[in-house]
Amino acid sequence: MASKMTTKCALITGITGQDGSYLAEWLLGKGYRVHGIVRRVALEDPDHRLSRLKEIRGRLVLHAASLESYASIHRVVHEVQPDECYHLAAQSFVSYSFDDEFSTLNTNINGTHFLLSALKTLVPQCRFYFAGSSEMFGMAETVPQNEDTRFHPRSSYGISKVAGFDLTRNYREAYGMFACNGILFNHESPRRGFEFVSRKITAGVARILAGKSTELRLGNLEALRDWGHAREYVAAMWLMLQQAQPDDYVIATGQCHSVREFVELAFSHVGLDYTKFVTRDPELYRPAEVNLLQGDAGKARRLLGWTHRVELAGLIREMVDNDCRALGII
Ligand code: NAP
Ligand code: GDD
C-alpha cells in the first residue's frame, strides 16, 4: 500500500514559539524532515528556550542563525534546501513594539526580506508562508475583516506585518514564487507566552487560586478579539502551501469577545468572581489600541476546507486547567 507520508523538507523560523512548536509537530506527523532556525542562545540554554519542543527535540534539526543577518539566513537556506519554508519568527508582542519600534521594524521587515531574497536566490521553487496578522487591519473600516479589507495598522508591529505581507505578495508577483500570506487572527493555547493577555489571565487565575497572588492587573478590558486555538491555526498554514496556486487567506473563528468576557470566563471556571481580583492599570493601555478584530474566514473554508472547532470557552478551560496543573492545584 502506498504511504501517505511525505519525503519533503520544511524549514521553520520561530520554531521555539507557540505556533512554531505546534507546526513542527504537525509536519513531523506528516513525515516531513523538519529544520528550524533558532537564536544561538537557544542552543546554549535548551531547557528554558526550547521548552515547547522538548517532546520532539530529537526529531528536529536546529540551526543557529539571526533574522538580522542576511549571511546567516543564506547559509541555513543553502544547507537545508527546503521544499517549504514557514516564516514565523518575529518580535510578536504588540505592546513591546511601542517601546522599541526600531528593533521591531528591523527584525520583522528585514528578517522577512532576507529570507525571501535567500530563497529566491537558492531555492526559488520553495513554497513560502508568511505569518501575517489581523493587526494589519488595525482600525478596520469594516466588520468582519476579510482579504479585501483595507489595512490601517496601529503599531510598528502592525506596520512591520503590512511590509512583510507586501514583500511576500511582491515576490509572488515579480518572481513567480509560491509565496502565501496567512492573515491570522489571535490564537492561543497552553503554550502561549505569558506576556499576552490570554495567558496572563489564565496564569493569573491559577496563581490566585493557589494563594500565591491576590490581584491581576490588566489594561483595556473592552478591546474585542477573535480568539482561536493555535493547534488548529497551524494546520491552515500547511494547507495554504498545498494548494495549486499561491494566495492569501484570513484565518479566524468569526466570533469576537471582549477581554472582560475572557476574564469572566477564566475566573468563573474555577468558581471565582473576577471583580474581586482584577485591577485596571492605566500603564497597560497602549498609545493606539486596536478596538475590534473579527475575521471572516469564508475564503479559507471554501478553498482550503479549513474551519475552527475549538470555541473560546473550551480554549479557556484548557488554558486555566493547564496553569492550575503546573502549580499542582488540580
Ligand atoms: P511567539 O510565541 O512570540 O514566537 C515568536 C518566535 O520568533 C520565537 O521562536 C522567537 O524566538 C522568534 N524570534 C523573535 N525574534 C527573533 C529574532 N530576532 N531572531 C530569530 N528568531 C526570533 O509567536 P507566535 O504566537 O508563535 O506567532 C508566530 C508568528 O505569527 C509571529 O510572526 C507572530 O507575529 C504571528 N502571528 C501570531 C498570532 C497569534 O495570535 N499568536 C496572530 C497573527 C500572527 P525566541 O524563542 O528565541 O524568542
Ligand atoms: N498583553 C496584554 N496585557 N494585553 C492586554 C492587557 C494586559 O495586561 N490588558 C488588556 N489587554 C488587551 C490589549 O490592549 C489588546 O487589546 C488585547 O488585550 C490583546 O492583547 P494581546 O494578548 O497582547 O494580543 P494582541 O491582540 O495585541 O496581539 C496578538 O494577536 C495578534 C493578532 O491579532 C499577538 O499574538 C500578535 O503577534 C498577533 O499578530
Side-chain angles (χ1 to χ4, degrees):
M1 201 173 79
S3 164
K4 289 201 180 116
M5 300 293 267
T6 183
T7 54
K8 284 187 205 157
C9 171
L11 176 63
I12 304 175
T13 73
I15 194 167
T16 60
Q18 170 188 255
D19 291 8
S21 64
Y22 282 118
L23 180 63
E25 286 168 12
W26 173 267
L27 294 173
L28 286 171
K30 300 232 164 264
Y32 281 74
R33 282 173 287 124
V34 179
H35 294 249
I37 288 182
V38 299
R39 301 193 231 210
R40 184 186 55 78
V41 283
L43 299 176
E44 286 172 6
D45 182 12
D47 289 347
H48 171 53
R49 292 183 171 263
L50 303 179
S51 60
R52 294 184 179 102
L53 301 174
K54 60 177 178 298
E55 306 293 330
I56 55 170
R57 172 72 187 88
R59 300 165 67 197
L60 305 171
V61 186
L62 300 181
H63 306 260
S66 162
L67 279 189
E68 288 81 25
S69 153
Y70 177 75
S72 72
I73 300 280
H74 185 280
R75 171 179 47 75
V76 176
V77 170
H78 186 261
E79 273 169 32
V80 176
Q81 301 277 315
D83 299 295
E84 295 174 11
C85 177
Y86 297 86
H87 178 38
L88 310 184
Q91 192 301 94
S92 70
F93 189 29
V94 175
S95 191
Y96 181 71
S97 76
F98 290 104
D99 298 332
D100 191 350
E101 296 167 4
F102 290 88
S103 77
T104 302
L105 293 169
N106 278 338
T107 301
N108 294 4
I109 300 178
N110 288 342
T112 307
H113 189 198
F114 293 161
L115 189 55
L116 276 165
S117 178
L119 290 167
K120 168 175 157 273
T121 306
L122 298 166
V123 268
Q125 75 284 4
C126 176
R127 295 186 169 205
F128 178 80
Y129 172 85
F130 173 66
S133 163
S134 49
E135 275 290 309
M136 300 188 298
F137 295 124
M139 198 154 72
E141 288 169 355
T142 51
V143 181
Q145 296 88 41
N146 64 23
E147 295 78 4
D148 298 323
T149 306
R150 204 141 57 111
F151 295 146
H152 183 149
R154 298 268 284 168
S155 61
S156 60
Y157 170 82
I159 293 165
S160 76
K161 288 292 181 179
V162 172
F165 177 98
D166 283 334
L167 276 163
T168 301
R169 187 171 53 189
N170 187 243
Y171 269 64
R172 180 167 79 216
E173 293 174 358
Y175 309 120
M177 283 178 63
F178 194 109
C180 299
N181 286 295
I183 308 175
L184 271 55
F185 283 62
N186 298 51
H187 44 280
E188 322 294 316
S189 74
R191 297 185 194 172
R192 189 56 143 151
F194 288 94
E195 65 273 41
F196 300 96
V197 79
S198 61
R199 189 75 191 278
K200 183 173 174 185
I201 295 166
T202 62
V205 165
R207 286 181 59 77
I208 288 168
L209 196 65
K212 290 178 181 290
S213 165
T214 52
E215 72 162 0
L216 177 61
R217 301 185 81 80
L218 293 172
N220 181 9
L221 297 183
E222 312 316 327
L224 295 154
R225 288 290 183 277
D226 179 332
W227 280 291
H229 197 300
R231 190 189 289 109
E232 298 187 327
Y233 283 45
V234 301
M237 300 173 185
W238 175 78
L239 282 167
M240 287 177 213
L241 298 200
Q242 312 314 308
Q243 303 308 303
Q245 300 297 330
D247 208 340
D248 308 321
Y249 300 89
V250 161
I251 300 298
T253 70
Q255 289 147 29
C256 95
H257 298 271
S258 65
V259 174
R260 184 187 297 282
E261 283 175 85
F262 194 114
V263 169
E264 203 167 356
L265 282 165
F267 278 83
S268 65
H269 176 53
V270 295
L272 295 176
D273 172 3
Y274 82 94
T275 60
K276 298 201 169 76
F277 303 100
V278 171
T279 314
R280 300 280 282 278
D281 183 345
E283 289 290 312
L284 294 170
Y285 281 64
R286 295 172 183 181
E289 176 63 285
V290 170
N291 293 318
L292 196 173
L293 291 176
Q294 182 174 7
D296 165 10
K299 178 175 172 184
R301 197 165 48 247
R302 284 191 306 280
L303 302 182
L304 305 179
W306 182 89
T307 185
H308 83 285
R309 295 197 192 287
V310 179
E311 302 293 345
L312 183 64
L315 170 66
I316 292 175
R317 280 197 300 274
E318 184 184 335
M319 292 177 70
V320 172
D321 288 350
N322 170 75
D323 284 324
C324 288
R325 253 193 311 276
L327 293 183
I329 50 173
I330 58 166

